[in-house]
Amino acid sequence: MKAHDGMYIDGAWRPAAGRDVIEVVNPADEQIIGTVPAGTAADVDAAVRAARAALPAWAATAPAERAARLSALRDVLVARKDEIAETVTAELGAPLAFSQTVHAGVPIAVAASYAELAATYSFEEKAGNSTVLLEPVGVVAAITPWNYPLHQIVAKAAPALAAGCTVVLKPAEDTPLTAQLFAEAVHEAGIPAGVFNLVTGLGPVAGQALAEHPDVDLVSFTGSTAVGKRIGATAGGAVKKVALELGGKSANVILPSADLAKAVNVGVANVMSNSGQTCSAWTRMLVHRDQYDEAVGLAAAAAAKYGDRIGPVVNAKQRDRVRGYIDKGVAEGARLVAGGPESPREQGCFVSPTVFADVTEDMTIAQEEIFGPVLSILRYDDEDDALRIANGTVYGLAGAVWAGDEAEAVAFARRLETGQVDINGGRFNPLAPFGGYKQSGVGRELGTHGLSEYLQTKSLQF
Ligand code: NAD
């Protein structure tokens, strides 16, 4: 795999300040596929300076010009989509077909949506005797996870650039090659030097230096709730804007009137996709007691069909962590109906698609985010009971409701404490705001709501 041995700062690949490197490993066979520099506070400082210097000119460009650059960026991503998919497959382990449709396809759709929004969004509003100017927040620190490597980057960089902000990206250490490819795409798209900068490195070193940098105006973080809390506290201490997209433990509520087989099959596919490493995955399936046994049978059969088709999880540590949760589920009395803690292959970071029945709300596997291909099926007595269980975690990122008719599902969805709900299997929409209630986060990504995270208001009174 192609890897740069420098940082992309001020429009060029520059040598890192230190000599440390990060080895990038393919989790499918645990072979090293490349190395990238492990950035330090000095690299972060150079990148933030470049972003600060580029800010006035970029913030002053006409929105139509920013739209044109984002449109060019989208075109480069389209032209390089096979390379993107191969890179994500190599460093994340996702099956190639999934990398092509989702890991490459979704960021292209999101980049396109912001190219259009930059051209059509009104950066000025009227409010009584005032004109309200919507101005860029400034220098953005973007810190991203590995689970959807390019999507997480584009979901921050595209709206930030559309708003007129400049960006320093610190991507996850497991997937830096996709981030380097994105920096190349930014360059090819003719985005001016310093507007987008990339520093690869470890979270507690480069990530922390970036989150703490005094010349950053907004920290946009996606990752674990534990790190998000620290970043929120640091930003709060500096009175700095912050957006946090954190963990989830979403419920898939199947009401008695639903098409049970469809709801269960789509639900299992949702959890197994990307090897369960999706923050919004519906990892708790809630089924009425009268349909419970049938649903468990359907889910076990659906999971068993995945067999070898599922990709590995991102690394050996994650594999061991997920298997630890499976052991805990068994120890706490849940009933394994598919999969289990044993590794399905001799080599690679694989976890069997796993389904637990007889899961109760108090169990660890019903409360904590596992981030692996593990589904828990819980039983409810009536709608109020289902609602109480669905809302009974610290998270509130996403969810699903299935019912015989949409109105019934929507009525239930209104009572859910969560940022997104798919009704009867509704499709992903790159314009719909994404983000969490409760400890799933602060702020929203995608669409106009995602754009407004990067804007601040100035009111002129007449
Ligand atoms: P993580 O929190 O370990 O790392 C995320 C990023 O933060 C990485 O770039 C990492 O290097 C960096 N980081 C780590 N420590 C840091 C520190 N002290 N200061 C600054 N930066 C630091 O999370 P992860 O394991 O990469 O990703 C998985 C988590 O992300 C899961 O909890 C998942 O739910 C969450 N996630 C949330 C969303 C969402 O939109 N809500 C999307 C995807 C993933």
Side-chain angles (χ1 to χ4, degrees), residues 143-148 152 170-174 201-211 221-228 230-231 244-248 277-280 318 321 369 371 395 397 434-436 440-441 445:
I143 303 177
T144 55
W146 43 262
N147 64 337
Y148 287 87
Q152 304 292 4
K170 205 304 281 174
E173 34 280 71
D174 287 292
L202 300 176
V205 183
Q208 194 162 326
L210 182 56
F221 170 83
T222 299
S224 60
T225 299
V227 176
R230 290 185 54 177
I231 288 184
L244 304 171
E245 299 290 341
L246 308 177
Q277 303 165 122
T278 304
C279 50
S280 54
Q318 186 71 6
R321 189 172 166 269
E369 184 179 53
F371 233 52
Y395 295 114
L397 189 56
F434 181 83
S440 285
E445 292 196 316

Side-chain angles (χ1 to χ4, degrees), residues 216-456:
V216 161
D217 298 302
L218 162 69
V219 184
S220 180
F221 170 83
T222 299
S224 60
T225 299
V227 176
K229 282 179 180 171
R230 290 185 54 177
I231 288 184
T234 304
V239 198
K240 198 173 275 188
K241 291 189 178 10
V242 67
L244 304 171
E245 299 290 341
L246 308 177
K249 190 74 191 174
S250 299
N252 179 15
V253 182
I254 305 176
L255 296 175
S257 60
D259 177 340
L260 185 68
K262 186 173 178 200
V264 170
N265 284 322
V266 174
V268 170
N270 171 285
V271 173
M272 301 308 161
S273 124
N274 211 37
S275 303
Q277 303 165 122
T278 304
C279 50
S280 54
W282 314 328
T283 50
R284 294 179 301 147
M285 183 181 284
L286 274 54
V287 183
H288 189 270
R289 60 181 144 75
D290 293 344
Q291 298 173 324
Y292 192 79
D293 291 340
E294 189 184 352
V296 168
L298 288 164
K305 269 194 252 153
Y306 274 84
D308 256 13
R309 284 188 292 130
I310 197 164
V313 295
V314 71
N315 57 34
K317 192 170 153 215
Q318 186 71 6
R319 175 193 59 203
D320 296 345
R321 189 172 166 269
V322 175
R323 288 165 67 186
Y325 272 113
I326 298 175
D327 285 334
K328 200 152 199 174
V330 173
E332 290 182 4
R335 178 164 55 100
L336 257 184
V337 296
E342 297 79 26
S343 239
R345 299 197 201 181
E346 300 246 306
Q347 200 189 25
C349 306
F350 290 87
V351 177
S352 292
T354 296
V355 178
F356 277 110
D358 299 341
V359 178
T360 52
E361 300 162 70
D362 52 317
M363 290 181 186
T364 306
I365 57 168
Q367 291 296 326
E368 293 185 15
E369 184 179 53
I370 299 174
F371 233 52
V374 182
L375 171 67
S376 296
I377 312 182
L378 292 92
R379 192 185 271 109
Y380 67 80
D381 291 331
D382 55 29
E383 270 199 26
D384 284 345
D385 195 32
L387 186 74
R388 191 183 50 74
I389 299 170
N391 287 339
T393 76
V394 295
Y395 295 114
L397 189 56
V401 182
W402 301 80
D405 71 88
E406 271 182 15
E408 186 190 355
V410 170
F412 192 92
R414 285 183 187 280
R415 300 165 74 196
L416 285 173
E417 296 163 357
T418 192
Q420 277 212 347
V421 185
D422 289 356
I423 303 293
N424 284 341
R427 286 168 303 116
F428 173 74
N429 174 6
L431 297 176
F434 181 83
Y437 279 32
K438 302 194 281 185
Q439 288 189 26
S440 285
V442 174
R444 293 291 179 268
E445 292 196 316
L446 306 182
T448 51
H449 294 264
L451 180 59
S452 51
E453 291 287 329
Y454 298 95
L455 294 167
Q456 55 191 347

